[in-house]
Amino acid sequence: MEKEITLASPLPRESSRSKRAASLRTSRWKERSLAYFFLAPSLILFGIFLFYPLLKSVYLSLYLTDPQGRVASFAGADNFKNVLTSEVFYNSLWITVKFILLTVPTGVAAALVLAALSIQKLKFTKLFQFFFSLPMAVSVGTGSIIWMVLYHPTLSILNYGLSLAGIPPIAWLTDPKWALLSIALMTVWLNLGFNYIVMLSGMQSVPEDLYESAKIDGSGSFRTFFRITLPLISPSLFFISVVSIISAFQSFAQINILTKGGPMNSTDVLVYNIYQDAFINYRFGIGSAQALILFVLITLLTIVQFKFGEKKVHYQ
């Protein structure tokens, strides 16, 4: 009798384990299915509007096309060679670099100063925060029209202000010396709302007890800002810098509306040059090759920023 009991006992345990494992596998399969179900709309949208155009650009960059965009003949790497040996491409790249240098440091500094001012417990602080955040609600098209009026040769309020100070009017959008600067100024204003909100939220996350400890130790406002506030908001600064540089590389709408790359190609940035090649000159292969080169440039620059810039970031 004892032998029968000892031989029969392991079977239910094995059966129980196998049932538990099967149940666990079913549960995991259901979880994964549910996750893919919720991800499906995003994956479909990314596939249609991001991955398909990217793959299509890779395909078109290897071919010559007719004005309707149909493939005419295989070009291989010739489109890339033509782009990389073109003086127009390097001129557009240089203008893009100047545009980044004009917009990114200025935009970050302006947002930092405004956030530092509005975090102080002053009167009408909420009102200032509203006005400083307002550009975020303005689209590029609307913002461009507003600044088109401000830069108008005869109706310009800016020129009227200069005339009151005895300074001759400036051809903001028609003078090659001023056109890129004018576009950069408008872009800084347009991006100010987003930069300001990110910077302000970063400053508001700094613990109050650190400021109180600094005050007890006799630290002044400037020293507290540079020794406490600035290091602790470095993640926000890094994020804004990366996003602003990518955004500056991709600037197009305001240039298309205000100057169309002119005067004398002084605002012909890379994206506008791609647009001209692809949709005005109907050279889709060359345009696609330029787009891929721009993609590689942005990717490399972002990697460099993360490789070297992130070392200076202080995560709490």
Side-chain angles (χ1 to χ4, degrees):
M1 287 299 289
E2 284 180 10
K3 274 186 178 180
E4 286 179 0
I5 291 167
T6 50
L7 287 171
S9 58
L11 290 174
R13 284 185 187 173
E14 288 296 326
S15 173
S16 171
R17 280 179 189 171
S18 62
K19 280 181 182 176
R20 201 179 304 159
S23 172
L24 195 61
R25 279 197 297 272
T26 309
S27 175
R28 282 178 182 169
W29 184 83
K30 282 181 181 175
E31 282 180 10
R32 283 177 188 169
S33 302
L34 193 64
Y36 284 121
F37 175 75
F38 285 117
L39 282 172
S42 301
L43 289 174
I44 291 169
L45 287 174
F46 275 117
I48 294 171
F49 295 107
L50 185 66
F51 299 126
Y52 173 71
L54 181 63
L55 293 175
K56 186 76 176 179
S57 293
V58 174
Y59 173 72
L60 286 177
S61 68
L62 302 174
Y63 289 88
L64 294 175
T65 59
D66 64 12
Q68 279 77 40
R70 291 174 298 198
V71 170
S73 61
F74 183 71
D78 288 349
N79 286 333
F80 292 95
K81 284 180 188 170
N82 288 336
V83 171
L84 293 174
T85 54
S86 165
E87 193 179 331
V88 176
F89 171 76
Y90 288 105
N91 181 55
S92 296
L93 183 61
W94 173 234
I95 291 169
T96 307
V97 171
K98 285 196 288 184
F99 183 71
I100 291 170
L101 293 175
L102 285 171
T103 54
V104 177
T106 314
V108 173
L112 184 66
V113 170
L114 292 179
L117 289 175
S118 60
I119 203 171
Q120 306 296 323
K121 293 170 183 172
L122 302 172
K123 223 175 180 180
F124 307 118
T125 301
K126 294 290 178 189
L127 190 65
F128 287 130
Q129 289 178 355
F130 170 73
F131 280 117
F132 295 154
S133 312
L134 200 58
M136 193 177 173
V138 179
S139 67
V140 184
T142 309
S144 301
I145 292 169
I146 292 170
W147 283 84
M148 189 184 282
V149 175
L150 289 174
Y151 289 145
H152 195 275
T154 54
L155 303 173
S156 170
I157 299 172
L158 298 175
N159 278 344
Y160 178 71
L162 291 176
S163 68
L164 292 177
I167 300 171
I170 295 171
W172 297 98
L173 298 175
T174 52
D175 187 338
K177 291 179 185 173
W178 284 95
L180 188 66
L181 187 65
S182 304
I183 297 287
L185 183 62
M186 178 262 169
T187 305
V188 168
W189 173 81
L190 195 66
N191 296 334
L192 188 61
F194 175 75
N195 293 350
Y196 167 76
I197 288 172
V198 174
M199 207 71 81
L200 184 64
S201 62
M203 287 187 184
Q204 286 174 338
S205 67
V206 178
E208 277 293 326
D209 53 343
L210 288 178
Y211 290 126
E212 288 170 10
S213 301
K215 198 179 286 182
I216 292 169
D217 290 341
S219 176
S221 302
F222 282 100
R223 192 178 175 192
T224 303
F225 180 77
F226 286 104
R227 293 293 180 90
I228 295 176
T229 308
L230 215 50
L232 291 181
I233 64 165
S234 54
S236 302
L237 280 168
F238 180 67
F239 171 73
I240 289 176
S241 302
V242 172
V243 171
S244 298
I245 288 174
I246 293 173
S247 174
F249 262 114
Q250 297 173 338
S251 294
F252 168 73
Q254 62 268 49
I255 292 162
N256 186 38
I257 293 171
L258 292 174
T259 60
K260 297 196 180 301
M264 296 171 65
N265 294 329
S266 59
T267 58
D268 186 22
V269 294
L270 268 179
V271 175
Y272 191 79
N273 195 38
I274 292 170
Y275 166 74
Q276 280 188 311
D277 269 325
F279 300 104
I280 295 178
N281 300 326
Y282 300 110
R283 299 195 303 170
F284 293 100
I286 294 287
S288 298
Q290 281 193 79
L292 289 177
I293 291 170
L294 176 62
F295 174 72
V296 171
L297 282 176
I298 293 175
T299 306
L300 289 176
L301 194 59
T302 306
I303 291 171
V304 168
Q305 282 181 286
F306 272 90
K307 182 79 177 171
F308 297 103
E310 204 177 19
K311 290 179 183 174
K312 307 278 184 187
V313 177
H314 176 80
Y315 292 106
Q316 293 185 50

